[in-house]
Amino acid sequence: MALAKIRNFIDNSLKTVSTPLDRTVNLEPEIGIRIMHSPNDKTLNVTVLGARHLPQNFGFTRVNSYVVKVKLIPGKDKFETTSRNESWPQWNEEFVFPLRKETKQKFGKSKVVEEEINGSRFIVATLYAILEDKPLIATEKKESEKTSPTKEAPKKGGKKKEGQSTSSDNQESTKNKLLSQFFGKNSDKLAESTATERRAYDKRRTVGATTIPLDPKNFVCKPPKSKHTSDVSTGDLWKPLRPIASGISGAEERKENKKGQVELSLCLSKGEKDEDSGGQLILSLNRLRCSLQTMHEHEGLKGQMYLKMSVVDSGRITHFWKSDRFTPTVSMKFSPETARVVADNPYKGALNDVSFVIKFVSKNKMGKKTPVGHFVIGPDVGGAYGEQWKQALAKPGQQITKWQAFE
């Protein structure tokens, strides 16, 4: 009898909690945003409420804190929250974007422009995870221990006589004086601040971003505390964090791939006399994108990543481009003007033996290279790789942009 009561109690308990358990099976990172529009003040007030379901580690490295960057697009204004070291951080920090701006023009005149709220403008919130840097601190301590005896060496050797100085000391002091005159800092402080900022950004990892269109239809609430009766608000919005998209046509065709994807543009420039000869075939790199799980795996390799694009003509590499090494990330943007490789097309049929090889490589601290993925774009390649090649040759002068997955 007692066993039957216990079983009945367990069955009823499971039924009552089944619904919330189902809702929490696949929890995605989310961010909370509240936007208020004040027509009287001509401002847009964006409040970062908080975030939830954030990853607590990347690979074998734990997350130290989180920070959110908010930007109004189009526009140059952007703000950043303070860092929080919680997996469910709460900020409740408000940032004000002025919608009335004064622009200076020629002859000392100024023009006041009042920006409107419509569906073509967006608020983009990007969340970053800041990783712990215990190995970096340990290395700095070792380096400081090595350098400290050399600084004390002159004291052990005795004091310098009056009037005794070297030319290098004079040059160093003159250099510091010039730097202090122009910048208000000496070279040591400049180098130290630059190195500190660089280390801070190297520890950042992009968790994801969310985009909120400023459609007047979304402003349906009255803010609880407002200066004017005309103020309207979106209320508390909780949006999932997604990988940063490019916005280029054809980006929706990309498919999730375990090793990551790149967005490439292929264009055949027209020749002066004949479209089939002359000109160049140009392959440009726009973006790198991978899932959060893929980035965790890259972190586990304990190294830095880089991309390499090569031009292969008759089995021989004639030209290549290699990116700078970067830390694992879910999204990265490149400059197509510099991140490119070019294949010449001097005569008809010259491109029949040409192909592009794109590689994704990880390189650890010891210099060991680990291939992450690669693919080939060329005339004898099938699938989406060969389709982009065919479209570029069939439409000279047009940029054929596609997302291609690493194999």
Side-chain angles (χ1 to χ4, degrees):
M1 190 70 178
L3 288 175
K5 289 184 178 180
I6 292 173
R7 287 176 181 174
N8 188 27
F9 172 76
I10 293 174
D11 292 340
N12 292 333
S13 301
L14 289 175
K15 289 179 182 179
T16 56
V17 300
S18 61
T19 302
L21 280 177
D22 291 341
R23 286 202 300 263
T24 58
V25 170
N26 296 318
L27 297 178
E28 295 180 316
E30 293 181 331
I31 188 170
I33 300 290
R34 182 173 61 243
I35 306 174
M36 184 186 74
H37 178 216
S38 177
N40 292 69
D41 296 338
K42 302 296 180 183
T43 58
L44 195 70
N45 297 38
V46 179
T47 303
V48 179
L49 303 173
R52 54 197 182 193
H53 314 311
L54 301 182
Q56 297 184 8
N57 56 70
F58 280 72
F60 297 103
T61 308
R62 290 192 62 83
V63 176
N64 180 53
S65 57
Y66 303 91
V67 68
V68 177
K69 182 173 71 175
V70 182
K71 187 175 182 180
L72 176 63
I73 295 179
K76 296 182 180 180
D77 295 337
K78 56 185 177 181
F79 301 95
E80 204 168 89
T81 65
T82 56
S83 59
R84 301 280 183 181
N85 57 353
E86 305 166 357
S87 59
W88 284 50
Q90 294 182 357
W91 283 281
N92 292 314
E93 297 182 15
E94 186 180 73
F95 306 101
V96 180
F97 292 89
L99 298 178
R100 178 184 292 163
K101 298 181 180 180
E102 183 177 347
T103 58
K104 294 182 179 181
Q105 295 181 338
K106 294 181 179 179
F107 307 110
K109 295 182 179 180
S110 60
K111 182 180 179 181
V112 177
V113 179
E114 293 186 1
E115 300 174 347
E116 298 180 355
I117 296 300
N118 51 55
S120 63
R121 301 179 68 85
F122 302 88
I123 286 292
V124 178
T126 308
L127 190 140
Y128 299 94
I130 303 175
L131 305 186
E132 293 182 349
D133 57 350
K134 291 182 180 179
L136 182 60
I137 296 174
T139 305
E140 287 178 348
K141 287 182 178 179
K142 291 180 181 179
E143 290 178 354
S144 62
E145 290 174 359
K146 291 179 182 178
T147 55
S148 58
T150 58
K151 291 181 180 179
E152 296 177 355
K155 295 182 180 180
K156 294 180 180 179
K159 296 181 179 180
K160 287 185 179 181
K161 295 180 181 180
E162 294 182 0
Q164 182 180 0
S165 61
T166 60
S167 59
S168 60
D169 293 337
N170 292 332
Q171 292 176 358
E172 187 68 25
S173 61
T174 306
K175 183 179 178 181
N176 290 335
K177 287 179 181 179
L178 290 172
L179 286 170
S180 61
Q181 289 177 0
F182 286 101
F183 302 102
K185 296 180 179 180
N186 56 28
S187 59
D188 294 336
K189 290 183 179 180
L190 282 173
E192 184 179 354
S193 61
T194 304
T196 303
E197 291 178 0
R198 181 63 180 172
R199 286 198 297 268
Y201 278 96
D202 285 345
K203 291 184 293 181
R204 287 194 175 195
R205 302 293 186 272
T206 306
V207 178
T210 188
T211 303
I212 304 173
L214 299 179
D215 193 334
K217 296 179 181 179
N218 296 333
F219 293 85
V220 294
C221 303
K222 289 291 181 183
K225 297 179 181 180
S226 58
K227 298 180 181 178
H228 311 282
T229 56
S230 59
D231 294 349
V232 289
S233 172
T234 59
D236 297 352
L237 303 175
W238 285 91
K239 298 287 186 178
L241 292 168
R242 303 294 187 189
I244 302 172
S246 66
I248 297 177
S249 60
E252 66 276 1
E253 297 176 2
R254 63 183 183 270
K255 296 181 180 180
E256 189 63 35
N257 182 272
K258 185 178 181 181
K259 297 183 179 180
Q261 310 91 36
V262 286
E263 187 185 58
L264 298 170
S265 297
L266 190 60
C267 179
L268 176 62
S269 61
K270 296 181 180 180
E272 296 180 359
K273 297 181 180 179
D274 188 3
E275 292 184 354
D276 294 333
S277 63
Q280 296 174 322
L281 185 60
I282 304 170
L283 181 69
S284 305
L285 174 62
N286 300 320
R287 285 181 181 270
L288 166 71
R289 178 180 178 268
C290 66
S291 64
L292 200 62
Q293 180 183 0
T294 303
M295 186 175 63
H296 287 178
E297 294 176 359
H298 294 170
E299 287 282 349
L301 296 175
K302 289 291 184 180
Q304 292 184 313
M305 324 294 292
Y306 70 86
L307 290 164
K308 184 178 180 181
M309 300 190 300
S310 304
V311 180
V312 180
D313 190 351
S314 301
R316 183 172 58 91
I317 297 177
T318 58
H319 180 62
F320 72 90
W321 171 89
K322 186 167 68 172
S323 71
D324 296 332
R325 281 180 282 178
F326 54 88
T327 52
T329 178
V330 295
S331 181
M332 189 170 185
K333 187 177 180 180
F334 297 88
S335 174
E337 289 77 18
T338 55
R340 57 167 53 187
V341 286
V342 179
D344 294 326
N345 184 31
Y347 56 89
K348 186 175 181 179
L351 297 176
N352 293 339
D353 298 326
V354 175
S355 60
F356 296 105
V357 179
I358 296 88
K359 293 183 179 180
F360 193 16
V361 183
S362 173
K363 190 174 184 180
N364 63 14
K365 296 180 180 179
M366 302 301 293
K368 183 181 178 181
K369 299 178 183 178
T370 304
V372 177
H374 77 285
F375 61 86
V376 180
I377 296 178
D380 300 327
V381 182
Y385 313 117
E387 187 64 26
Q388 186 174 12
W389 178 277
K390 293 177 182 177
Q391 291 182 14
L393 295 187
K395 301 176 181 179
Q398 294 187 22
Q399 292 276 355
I400 307 300
T401 302
K402 288 186 179 295
W403 283 90
Q404 302 289 13
F406 288 103
E407 293 181 345

